[in-house]
Amino acid sequence: MTAAAATAHHAIVSTRSTRLWNAKNSRFDKNVCLVSVGSCCPGNRKLGLLCASGSQSSVTEPVQQPSNGKGDHSPKKSKESSLILIRHGESMWNEKNLFTGCVDVPLTPKGVQEAIEAGSRIRNLPIDVIYTSSMVRAQMTAMLAMMQHRRKKVPIIMHNESEQAHSWSKIYSEDTKKLSIPVITAWQLNERMYGELQGLNKQETADQFGKEQVHEWRRSYGIPPPNGESLEMCAERAVSYFNDQVVPQLTSGKHVMVAAHANSLRSIIMHLDRLTSQEVISLELSTGIPMLYIFKEGKFVRRGSPVGPSEASVYAYTKAF
Amino acid sequence: MAASTSQHALISIKPAAPAASFSCGKRAGNARFVSATGCCPGSRKFGLVCAANSQSSVIEPVHLPSSPESGSTPKKSGESALILIRHGESLWNEKNLFTGCVDVPLTPKGVNEAIEAGKRICNIPVDVIYTSSLIRAQMTAMLAMMQHRRKKVPIIVHSESERAHQWSQVYSEETKKQSIPVVTAWQLNERMYGELQGLNKQETADRFGKDQVHEWRRSYDIPPPNGESLEMCAERAVSYFKDQIVPQLVAGKHVMIAAHGNSLRSIIMHLDKLTSQEVISLELSTGIPMLYIFKEGKFIRRGSPAGPSEAGVYAYTKKLAQYRQKLDGM
């Protein structure tokens, strides 16, 4: 495979869904705007996009979808699976500059828009199973993103909190199951728990604990705030979960999307990219711009860099896509 | 006080008057507040009569009951609002599949419906929100509350485990006061459709026979295989409503319930004392919330359940009008 190296900025074009999110009116409109492979994407709001050279199939070619979790488990011949990581967008407490952690606050309209944008970037990538945290902002992000997906499978949240929840959510049609994407919620993918800082604004925390102390909690790897988690603790449970639950899916050839939070995702990226604790502290994940990894022969190859908020991230597609 | 079936109303809220100071935030359309002395001519909801003299002035502040975390004091007037919102189109509605308790999300149209619903209630006080354990109802609640003018933050309460409870603690009293707890409950889930879940109409007709399916859909107490009858759904939904929600209303809290066709009509059956025949033919529109006023132990309907092509409007009480005026002043 001679696809572009992980840090290259080759890109495919962006395509638009058939229902555009109208930010001005905050609703979905029924426009269609399809940017084809052949034309370029001149100076658009996402900086630095280059149109693909040879690695793209045409717009009309259907994306090959392996069956979902409920179908057969034969690994793809190329034994390559994609892993998409999406960080949710602005929440109502982000907007108010409050420490959020594991308090379950929802998205703002801007956060909704970011989810939709993220979805439009991954709409051509196959997805067989989705993992998300137990917080509604990540779950909404996953659902809103999947509304743009071209394959039109239906994400369905799995319920295992009780025997009743499990039996009540059963599906009795095989055809319907085949067109479903299971969504698994897991507290292990939650945001880092911020303990006694949760709900406080920056001024309150500085007053209560002192500026340097707060800075240390935010920027250290191993020091937790009172009754909270350090980044290290967050990483421990997020990466364990990833190894136990997500990697086996990838190994069996399933394409996975993980919709979660800044700290749980950077923990996973630290693991995938073998970053040091120093490196992970300065890792900023943009919202609305998903990251793509290819899992092949037991290795993770990054296909779209984690970037800061003002840069564009683009994907290096492999031949299989 | 108007009887539950009368069409009397205090005020109708009509959309889209320019330069109004009552718009629900930047994103929503404008709402025009029709004053008591003007009439509501030929509005889309028939038979509205304008109120005579029940409006107070703009400057009087509304006493809002405090949220559960900071102690509850019943309002002097003992009146609370109950808003019922049915979620909009889900991905399986779109495909015409029996959904029941399968946790499928909204379509873009369903998202729009939630936003529209939110605009209609953006001036009605909300202290606590109840929703089902299904994402389509939860998203509906969150999207609706994005439009609310009071700008409090809905926060889902987690009590599924000790850790979940601990981890979701909020450590600022100020912040708690600006929060609206959202309680999720399986008892508010859609009616569980058993072996019909995931099937389309053709499949069900093939598998069970058309008449049998019709009977399940239209009867009150005959469940589909391994599923719930409407009666069974009503039993657990109304029990929950009485045990958990009515005490909030009694304490003066304003409540919003975001749920499903069958769990909501069960509750309405209870509130309006409908017969099983009447509830079967009750259609709840999506995107158009229903308002009840709870006062002195009674529920008074302030906006009729309407079919999809009709608009629902609200009969504001004096207290609600004051709340709205307070929002205007903010």
Side-chain angles (χ1 to χ4, degrees):
Chain A
M1 171 96 55
T2 55
T7 53
H9 284 265
H10 284 227
I12 308 308
V13 299
S14 65
T15 55
R16 292 297 199 157
S17 72
T18 53
R19 289 185 196 82
L20 284 183
W21 177 254
N22 183 331
K24 198 169 156 209
N25 300 333
S26 274
R27 50 182 297 120
F28 281 94
D29 292 334
K30 283 187 178 161
N31 299 326
V32 180
C33 167
L34 200 70
V35 179
S36 74
V37 172
S39 61
C40 255
C41 326
N44 67 22
R45 39 205 182 116
K46 294 297 171 194
L47 328 156
L49 279 180
L50 297 176
C51 291
S53 43
S55 61
Q56 233 355 31
S57 51
S58 70
V59 171
T60 53
E61 195 180 319
V63 175
Q64 195 212 351
Q65 289 286 327
S67 50
N68 66 15
K70 300 202 172 61
D72 75 297
H73 288 264
S74 44
K76 289 179 64 178
K77 282 197 180 141
S78 69
K79 282 197 182 343
E80 188 183 284
S81 353
S82 62
L83 171 67
I84 300 167
L85 306 180
I86 295 190
R87 178 189 178 187
H88 70 78
E90 188 186 69
S91 78
M92 289 191 188
W93 277 12
N94 292 152
E95 196 185 35
K96 295 177 178 233
N97 238 347
L98 304 177
F99 285 108
T100 311
C102 287
V103 184
D104 201 351
V105 309
L107 299 171
T108 59
K110 180 180 172 193
V112 166
Q113 189 167 350
E114 290 178 279
I116 292 164
E117 277 298 312
S120 61
R121 286 170 174 268
I122 54 155
R123 61 193 308 262
N124 294 303
L125 296 171
I127 295 172
D128 296 317
V129 59
I130 296 170
Y131 287 88
T132 178
S133 73
S134 58
M135 327 241 82
V136 77
R137 59 195 186 265
Q139 295 170 11
M140 281 181 74
T141 293
M143 298 306 176
L144 290 161
M146 292 308 291
M147 283 180 200
Q148 329 300 317
H149 203 273
R150 287 178 71 197
R151 186 61 180 80
K152 296 287 166 218
K153 284 188 173 183
V154 177
I156 296 182
I157 295 182
M158 300 287 103
H159 281 271
N160 290 305
E161 56 270 27
S162 67
E163 180 51 41
Q164 176 182 285
H166 177 71
S167 56
W168 276 31
S169 56
K170 285 190 71 168
I171 300 171
Y172 286 82
S173 157
E174 286 311 306
D175 279 345
T176 300
K177 283 186 201 174
K178 285 189 187 129
L179 292 175
S180 307
I181 299 173
V183 179
I184 296 163
T185 62
W187 68 265
Q188 294 90 332
L189 294 174
N190 279 6
E191 181 52 294
R192 173 182 168 196
M193 203 271 288
Y194 261 79
E196 292 181 19
L197 301 191
Q198 292 185 163
L200 272 57
N201 63 36
K202 291 192 176 149
Q203 193 53 55
E204 277 176 301
T205 44
D207 292 344
Q208 200 160 325
F209 300 104
K211 258 188 162 172
E212 281 96 27
Q213 178 64 282
V214 176
H215 184 82
E216 186 181 51
W217 286 325
R218 296 187 81 186
R219 293 289 158 249
S220 80
Y221 183 65
I223 303 171
N227 284 319
E229 285 185 309
S230 62
L231 180 49
E232 183 176 26
M233 291 157 76
C234 171
E236 201 276 322
R237 41 100 169 159
V239 174
S240 291
Y241 185 85
F242 180 82
N243 286 334
D244 292 344
Q245 302 294 325
V246 181
V247 172
Q249 299 277 356
L250 294 164
T251 304
S252 67
K254 301 279 184 300
H255 305 285
V256 177
M257 177 168 99
V258 178
H261 309 260
N263 285 298
S264 49
L265 288 176
R266 74 214 293 224
S267 301
I268 290 169
I269 290 171
M270 179 186 187
H271 170 72
L272 300 180
D273 292 356
R274 306 192 193 299
L275 303 178
T276 66
S277 55
Q278 276 306 110
E279 287 170 326
V280 76
I281 287 165
S282 49
L283 185 64
E284 290 292 336
L285 306 185
S286 59
T287 53
I289 303 182
M291 282 151 287
L292 174 64
Y293 285 79
I294 302 299
F295 179 75
K296 186 168 168 141
E297 286 154 10
K299 290 186 173 53
F300 287 94
V301 179
R302 193 173 60 207
R303 283 312 210 197
S305 317
V307 287
S310 56
E311 296 166 50
S313 176
V314 295
Y315 298 127
Y317 275 71
T318 65
K319 193 169 163 187
F321 301 135
Chain B
M1 187 75 74
S4 59
T5 52
S6 87
Q7 300 282 349
H8 281 230
L10 288 175
I11 305 289
S12 74
I13 308 300
K14 293 193 186 158
S21 54
F22 311 110
S23 61
C24 306
K26 304 179 277 257
R27 298 164 298 281
N30 296 330
R32 176 162 53 110
F33 195 70
V34 179
S35 75
T37 52
C39 252
C40 326
S43 73
R44 12 185 210 145
K45 187 89 172 135
F46 14 92
L48 282 178
V49 174
C50 289
N53 55 1
S54 60
Q55 288 308 302
S56 55
S57 69
V58 174
I59 50 180
E60 194 179 326
V62 174
H63 171 64
L64 286 180
S66 43
S67 67
E69 279 98 359
S70 40
S72 41
T73 354
K75 289 178 63 178
K76 281 191 183 148
S77 71
E79 187 184 290
S80 349
L82 171 66
I83 299 168
L84 307 180
I85 296 188
R86 180 187 180 191
H87 72 78
E89 188 186 68
S90 79
L91 286 174
W92 278 12
N93 292 153
E94 196 184 38
K95 294 177 177 231
N96 235 348
L97 303 177
F98 284 107
T99 311
C101 288
V102 183
D103 200 353
V104 309
L106 299 171
T107 58
K109 179 179 173 194
V111 167
N112 283 344
E113 289 179 279
I115 290 166
E116 281 303 309
K119 289 178 189 173
R120 287 171 176 270
I121 55 150
C122 70
N123 293 303
I124 301 178
V126 178
D127 294 319
V128 59
I129 297 169
Y130 287 87
T131 177
S132 73
S133 59
L134 303 175
I135 191 79
R136 57 196 188 265
Q138 296 170 11
M139 280 181 74
T140 293
M142 297 305 174
L143 291 160
M145 290 308 291
M146 283 179 201
Q147 326 301 320
H148 203 274
R149 289 176 73 197
R150 186 63 179 74
K151 295 289 165 215
K152 284 189 173 182
V153 178
I155 297 182
I156 294 183
V157 173
H158 281 271
S159 44
E160 58 269 27
S161 68
E162 181 54 37
R163 188 216 11 260
H165 176 71
Q166 287 292 337
W167 277 31
S168 56
Q169 290 293 303
V170 177
Y171 285 83
S172 158
E173 287 310 307
E174 238 347 277
T175 301
K176 283 186 199 177
K177 285 187 189 134
Q178 297 302 317
S179 308
I180 299 172
V182 180
V183 181
T184 62
W186 67 264
Q187 293 90 331
L188 295 174
N189 278 9
E190 181 51 294
R191 173 182 167 196
M192 204 273 287
Y193 261 81
E195 291 181 20
L196 302 190
Q197 292 184 163
L199 272 57
N200 62 36
K201 288 188 177 151
Q202 194 51 53
E203 278 176 300
T204 44
D206 292 344
R207 204 180 285 196
F208 301 105
K210 255 189 166 173
D211 298 324
Q212 177 65 282
V213 176
H214 184 83
E215 186 181 52
W216 286 325
R217 295 188 83 186
R218 294 288 158 250
S219 81
Y220 183 64
D221 58 0
I222 304 171
N226 285 317
E228 286 186 308
S229 61
L230 180 50
E231 182 177 33
M232 291 158 76
C233 172
E235 200 276 324
R236 42 99 169 159
V238 174
S239 291
Y240 185 85
F241 178 81
K242 294 199 287 203
D243 292 345
Q244 301 295 322
I245 296 176
V246 171
Q248 299 276 357
L249 295 163
V250 168
K253 301 279 185 297
H254 304 285
V255 177
M256 176 169 102
I257 304 177
H260 308 262
N262 285 298
S263 49
L264 287 176
R265 72 209 303 217
S266 301
I267 290 170
I268 289 172
M269 179 186 187
H270 169 72
L271 300 180
D272 292 357
K273 305 198 194 305
L274 304 177
T275 65
S276 55
Q277 276 306 111
E278 287 170 327
V279 76
I280 286 166
S281 48
L282 184 64
E283 289 296 333
L284 305 186
S285 58
T286 54
I288 301 182
M290 282 151 287
L291 175 65
Y292 284 80
I293 300 299
F294 178 75
K295 185 168 175 145
E296 287 155 10
K298 292 187 174 48
F299 288 93
I300 300 148
R301 194 172 59 207
R302 278 313 211 201
S304 314
S309 56
E310 297 167 47
V313 292
Y314 299 126
Y316 272 69
T317 63
K318 187 172 168 182
K319 284 289 169 195
L320 289 182
Q322 288 172 347
Y323 178 79
R324 185 190 175 144
Q325 285 160 351
K326 184 192 179 201
L327 288 175
D328 297 341
M330 277 170 71

